[in-house]
């Protein structure tokens, strides 16, 4: 406020400011506020910058820069001259400016000037700063009035003492008058002949003016307080809306953060070998599972797109005579194949529905998947068993498409590549295949013997059984490598065909046949994958595989002669 009065008075004083010779050309003006303990005024050139001058008034400082040193010196000269002549910066001058400010504020009241505080640019902070100014002014006025009252008290005391002395002298010398000290008028009263007080009051203080400014300052304080209250009331709704908006923004940010965190967990972590499957892996089970699940989801999407875009190539291989499937053949693994077949026929076809050791983990329509939890040296070796019923296909057809490598890539989506290492007989072969890597798990490969057999029923009322068994073997042409973890498997696809007699003399159609499938899998994945992750993946992938494969067989056999 003082600064505004200073600049107004400066610009209006044409005798000190020649606008023709000293036009205010400043390249930059920077305003800065800091705390001062006393009312001060200072103007001076900068120590290093020859075009800069600094002006400080109370707690405000202006950093100004003229076009050249000559103009800067003119500004300093005229401003300093104006300050000296006007007395600006002295205590009385500051007090006088404060009184003028109080009068201006008080007389305005709730006028347009005061109510402009509600307009843009007049914040509560400005009103509080105005309150600070009023407080300083009021303190100075209280000190001034206190000095006046103290002086009045001293004068009154001296006059009482003097009057007492005069009365005593009058009693002693009633007719004596010393140089006009007392004058008896016509009605007997007496008049002081002392010189009257200075109109400005004691010690040069204008009591009436100070009383008016004191009253105006207090009125200004009350008005400003009222404005502050009105501002706070008017802004309460705005603040509440702002708070609600911030809370809503915070809620959305928290939701976005949680969503991004969950998304990050599903994405692959590229942290080097320490964040992959291994004995010293730094990734925990939850992160491992999230990464594997995300990778499997991506593979499923890619597979769906590729299946939608490509048209399956029609392949057909005439099935060999049925009698070749009746024996294990004559090769070096014949006895092992026969042993595996008999074990599956003995144990795999047993009903596990009432066995407490088997848990039903998935049930979708006719398909049921059971699991028995087994761990050995920290490695999950859970046997899985699935039962399913598929209409319109025979056991021979299901096993044919499961065993023949010609159709393998049509329905198996987890294989990266495979090759037949050795063909042992017409119904047996050794196969090496590598599976697609699911990060952060290590890539797996498997070397196994695959044999297809037909088991005749002992009772003519029982159906024949078709079986494909796959079990791990060793072979010199497919040694283990450091690139993959070698998994061990013992898998069997066991199928039986049930035929319902057609009506009348009609021929048997695919509507009259039903294939009962029993799929068993004993897999040792090797490596260091967490048990919970392996079980979750098995629970997810085995039902998908069984549905995908049986749908493929139904599609391939539709409209073709039935292969019993």
């Amino acid at each position: 406020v003082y600064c505004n009065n200073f600049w107004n008075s400066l610009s209006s004083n044409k005798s000190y400011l020649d606008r023709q010779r000293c036009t205010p050309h400043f390249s930059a003006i920077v305003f800065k506020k800091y705390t001062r303990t006393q009312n001060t005024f200072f103007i001076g050139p900068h120590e290093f910058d020859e075009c800069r001058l600094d002006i400080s008034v109370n707690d405000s400082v202006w950093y100004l820069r003229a076009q050249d040193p000559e103009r800067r010196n003119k500004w300093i000269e005229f401003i300093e001259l104006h300050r000296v002549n006007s007395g600006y910066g002295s205590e009385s001058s500051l007090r006088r400016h404060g009184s003028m400010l109080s009068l201006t504020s008080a007389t305005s009241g709730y006028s347009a000037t005061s109510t402009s505080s509600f307009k843009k640019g007049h914040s509560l902070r400005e009103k509080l700063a105005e309150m600070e100014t009023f407080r300083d002014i009021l303190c100075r006025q209280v000190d001034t009035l206190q000095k006046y009252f103290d002086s009045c008290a001293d004068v009154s005391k001296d006059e009482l003492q003097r009057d007492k002395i005069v009365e005593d002298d009058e009693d002693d010398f009633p007719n004596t008058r010393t140089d006009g000290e007392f004058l008896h008028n016509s009605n007997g009263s007496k008049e002081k002949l002392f010189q009257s007080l200075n109109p400005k009051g004691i010690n040069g203080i204008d009591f009436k003016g100070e009383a008016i400014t004191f009253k105006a300052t207090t009125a200004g304080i009350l008005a400003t307080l009222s404005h502050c209250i009105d501002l706070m009331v008017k802004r309460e709704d705005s603040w509440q809306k702002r708070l609600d908006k911030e809370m809503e923004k915070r809620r959305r940010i928290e939701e976005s953060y949680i969503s991004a965190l969950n998304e990050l967990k599903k994405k692959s972590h590229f942290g080097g070998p320490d964040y992959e499957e291994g004995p010293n892996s730094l990734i925990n089970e939850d992160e491992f599972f999230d990464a594997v699940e995300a990778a499997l989801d991506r593979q499923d999407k890619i597979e769906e797109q590729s299946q939608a875009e490509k048209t399956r190539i029609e392949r057909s291989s005439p099935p060999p005579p049925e009698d070749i499937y009746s024996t294990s053949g004559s090769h070096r693994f014949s006895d092992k194949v026969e042993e595996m077949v008999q074990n599956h026929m003995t144990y795999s076809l047993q009903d596990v529905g009432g066995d407490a050791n088997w848990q039903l983990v998935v049930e979708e329509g006719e398909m049921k998947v059971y699991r028995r939890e087994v761990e050995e040296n920290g490695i999950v070796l859970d046997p899985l068993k699935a039962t399913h019923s598929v209409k319109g296909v025979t056991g021979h057809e299901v096993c044919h498409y499961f065993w023949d490598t010609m159709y393998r890539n049509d329905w198996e989506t987890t294989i990266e590549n495979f090759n037949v290492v050795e063909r042992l007989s017409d119904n047996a072969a050794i196969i090496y295949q590598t599976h697609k890597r699911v990060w952060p798990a290590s890539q797996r490969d498997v070397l196994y013997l695959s044999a297809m057999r037909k088991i005749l029923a002992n009772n003519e009322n029982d159906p024949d059984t078709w079986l494909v068994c796959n079990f791990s073997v060793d072979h010199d042409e497919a040694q283990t490598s450091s690139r993959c973890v070698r998994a061990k498997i013992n898998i069997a696809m066991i199928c039986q065909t049930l035929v319902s007699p057609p009506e009348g003399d009609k021929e048997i159609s695919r509507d009259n046949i039903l294939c009962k499938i029993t799929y068993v899998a004993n897999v040792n994945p090797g490596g260091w994958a967490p048990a919970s992750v392996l079980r979750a993946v098995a629970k997810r992938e085995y039902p998908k595989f069984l549905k995908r494969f049986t749908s493929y067989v139904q599609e391939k056999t539709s409209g073709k002669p039935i292969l019993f």
Side-chain angles (χ1 to χ4, degrees), residues 55-75:
I55 302 175
S56 65
V57 180
N58 294 337
D59 60 345
S60 301
V61 180
W62 283 266
Y63 301 102
L64 308 177
R65 196 171 189 279
Q67 277 187 331
D68 49 54
E70 182 180 359
R71 290 178 182 274
R72 182 196 67 174
N73 295 335
K74 287 183 180 180
W75 271 99

Side-chain angles (χ1 to χ4, degrees), residues 273-283 528:
D274 291 337
Y275 289 89
E276 297 179 355
E277 179 187 353
N280 302 314
S281 177
L282 299 180
I283 190 170
W528 299 270

